[in-house]
Amino acid sequence: MTDIAVLGYGTVGSGVVEVIDKNSKSIGMKAGDEIRIKYVLDLRDFPGDRVESVLVHDFDVILSDPSVRIVVEVMGGVEPAYTFVKKSLLAGKSVCTSNKELVAKHGPELISIARKKGINFLFEASVGGAIPVIRPINSSLTADAILQIKGILNGTTNYILTQMADEGWEFDKALETAQKLGYAERDPEADIEGYDACRKIAILSSLAYGRNVDFEKIYTEGISKITATDICYAKKLGCAVKLLASSEYDDGKYYAMVAPFLVRSTHPLYSVNGVYNAIFVNGESIGDVMFYGSGAGKLPTACAVVADVVDAAKHLDKHIYTFWSEEDLELTGIENATRSFFVRMSGKPEEQKDRIEAAFAGAQMLTVDEDPDGFGFVTGPVTEKEFNERLKDLTGVKGRIRFE
Ligand code: NDP
Ligand code: HSE
């Protein structure tokens, strides 16, 4: 019997308990031993709930019990999660977590403690919910030089953008529903402003390139400025708006960014809808490998966490080597990246046509019925730096979205 403790009985934590209860026989067979939930830690009481008899409010009960070999951290946030996880590892307990905030901030240190202790710090669920992507980067793809990672890494924002485009929902209604469905972070600003996707691309990039990518140095824009009108223009252009997170190695330099992009209907990410995530990993020899699946939600995420528990139970006294150096990877700014932009303007196209042509020769003008007092235009390929400089020559700019 392998005893585990679950820290946090919220969306993911209750999913972990449910999955272990439901599939206990097959999980035990795959782990080589029965997995027993000895404790669940939460701030609240759950009268009449299945966890009532194992519920504790004091973390020290778990820490001081030597029979607990694996701790599942699904509380979220950096503190007290960091303190609890570090203490657990130092006490010789393996940790499985879905907490990307914790992993992005303290991943290398926690991996290093686990390595020294001969135990494991596993975090498959921290990126892409149910999608296996961390394990493949750490094992199946290790023979090749990874050149690029690009994808939709946040379920909440993809759900919001999909509902706005397909159902004509307002932003607020889509967000509220994503929260009800258990997709959103406790503070949904992390989803909406792109911070969650930023932490996830930092985690994937650190593992892929072997050095620590500081998430605070990644250029990050969220979807809070995307409006229903932008989506009408996107449709007219045959595109969908997607929050993309990416990192790239090119000519000796590393780049990373998170921002909304216009994705054309021919692009594989165009049809990644709702809470689904998809991640492309491009290697020098392997070319593109794509990972796709549910990016958030109680049971999909819980399955990824429990799979880590199974792995930890199979390797109770053996560290599964993960290379994530504490040395920082230097990121180059995005100002020289070249791409087309869609720009939304107020006023009439005839009044601004000449100025737009002078700033962005060959720009394609467009209008939609839903924007009677404004119009849009699409530039040819231009660097971020040039684009920002030339845009200053125009008045009435209401927004801009990059083309993928
Ligand atoms: P929830 O807010 O639903 O659950 C967190 C639980 O932890 C709550 O029950 C909370 O109690 C409890 N908790 C918080 N602080 C403490 C503490 N100090 N001691 C004991 N219990 C505490 O979050 P989620 O389950 O949605 O997310 C958990 C983690 O998983 C986060 O890091 C999130 O980013 C990540 N994640 C979530 C996914 C999802 O789809 N929801 C998908 C992938 C990852 P209380 O409510 O009383 O504060
Ligand atoms: N809030 C996150 C999302 C949860 O929507 O993707 C999964 O990490």
Side-chain angles (χ1 to χ4, degrees):
M1 174 116 64
T2 303
D3 281 342
I4 73 164
V6 179
L7 314 185
Y9 194 56
T11 305
V12 181
S14 60
V16 166
V17 172
E18 189 177 326
V19 166
I20 292 178
D21 282 352
K22 193 172 74 170
N23 301 333
S24 65
K25 204 163 163 211
S26 67
I27 288 170
M29 280 184 331
K30 285 166 191 164
D33 197 8
E34 185 189 339
I35 305 288
R36 182 177 71 160
I37 300 167
K38 186 153 187 197
Y39 302 106
V40 170
L41 177 87
D42 204 280
L43 300 169
R44 287 170 290 160
D45 286 313
F46 298 93
D49 191 277
R50 174 260 181 258
V51 297
E52 200 178 10
S53 59
V54 292
L55 192 71
V56 292
H57 299 302
D58 180 2
F59 170 69
D60 286 337
V61 173
I62 294 166
L63 189 65
S64 61
D65 184 340
S67 74
V68 174
R69 305 292 308 276
I70 301 167
V71 169
V72 173
E73 187 282 303
V74 282
M75 301 187 311
V78 173
E79 280 298 350
Y82 170 62
T83 303
F84 290 180
V85 166
K86 192 169 171 178
K87 281 185 175 179
S88 300
L89 292 170
L90 288 169
K93 302 175 195 301
S94 287
V95 173
C96 307
T97 184
S98 57
N99 185 343
K100 46 275 160 122
E101 215 177 330
L102 173 73
V103 177
K105 198 163 170 71
H106 295 293
E109 184 202 356
L110 297 171
I111 289 169
S112 162
I113 297 172
R115 187 178 306 140
K116 283 179 196 143
K117 288 277 176 185
I119 52 170
N120 289 291
F121 176 64
L122 303 176
F123 45 91
E124 181 63 68
S126 68
V127 180
I131 308 170
V133 60
I134 286 177
R135 204 166 266 109
I137 286 182
N138 278 338
S139 57
S140 329
L141 303 180
T142 46
D144 202 10
I146 294 186
L147 304 177
Q148 192 188 49
I149 304 172
K150 181 174 285 184
I152 296 170
L153 293 183
N154 183 271
T156 301
T157 45
N158 205 44
Y159 177 83
I160 292 171
L161 293 169
T162 303
Q163 294 306 103
M164 286 172 76
D166 292 357
E167 309 295 335
W169 286 11
E170 293 296 325
F171 187 99
D172 288 347
K173 180 181 172 190
L175 171 60
E176 209 177 292
T177 313
Q179 287 177 296
K180 281 194 192 130
L181 290 167
Y183 303 156
E185 296 302 303
R186 180 160 285 227
D187 176 1
E189 199 192 358
D191 298 299
I192 304 308
E193 298 304 343
Y195 311 141
D196 179 75
C198 164
R199 290 174 187 127
K200 289 167 174 168
I201 193 70
I203 294 169
L204 294 182
S205 307
S206 300
L207 294 169
Y209 308 130
R211 270 178 288 160
N212 184 53
V213 174
D214 181 348
F215 67 93
E216 288 179 294
K217 296 198 177 129
I218 296 177
Y219 178 88
T220 300
E221 266 179 44
I223 64 160
S224 58
K225 294 194 183 116
I226 301 293
T227 63
T229 313
D230 287 324
I231 287 175
C232 295
Y233 280 104
K235 281 185 180 169
K236 181 140 190 189
L237 288 162
C239 294
V241 181
K242 299 284 179 196
L243 183 70
L244 300 187
S246 62
S247 70
E248 193 174 343
Y249 173 75
D250 185 34
D251 202 18
K253 293 183 183 140
Y254 291 90
Y255 307 85
M257 77 181 292
V258 174
F261 277 81
L262 284 161
V263 174
R264 293 184 176 87
S265 58
T266 46
H267 195 289
L269 292 175
Y270 174 87
S271 6
V272 176
N273 287 321
V275 74
Y276 282 87
N277 285 189
I279 306 139
F280 276 106
V281 178
N282 179 271
E284 201 171 39
S285 305
I286 56 176
D288 273 335
V289 177
M290 188 176 175
F291 302 89
Y292 172 82
S294 271
K298 175 175 162 166
L299 293 176
T301 308
C303 284
V305 176
V306 175
D308 274 354
V309 171
V310 169
D311 217 7
K314 280 161 51 180
H315 299 91
L316 278 180
D317 298 303
K318 186 169 176 2
H319 178 69
I320 305 163
Y321 188 73
T322 301
F323 186 63
W324 182 342
S325 154
E326 291 189 44
E327 187 194 341
D328 272 347
L329 185 87
E330 199 186 321
L331 291 176
T332 303
I334 61 163
E335 58 279 0
N336 291 323
T338 300
R339 50 176 63 96
S340 294
F341 289 78
F342 162 72
V343 183
R344 194 147 77 78
M345 306 283 293
S346 58
K348 297 280 169 225
E350 314 79 68
E351 293 158 9
Q352 301 250 32
K353 209 167 140 256
D354 293 344
R355 267 210 249 160
I356 290 169
E357 182 58 29
F360 299 101
Q364 171 204 342
M365 313 287 275
L366 74 157
T367 55
V368 291
D369 293 344
E370 294 82 354
D371 188 20
D373 302 320
F375 66 99
F377 69 89
V378 175
T379 74
V382 55
T383 66
E384 290 262 350
K385 196 172 163 200
E386 283 169 329
F387 173 79
N388 289 327
E389 276 163 13
R390 293 188 208 169
L391 203 66
K392 286 184 200 147
D393 295 340
L394 305 180
T395 47
V397 175
K398 291 180 87 176
R400 54 103 180 89
I401 312 177
R402 298 167 177 86
F403 271 87
E404 159 58 14

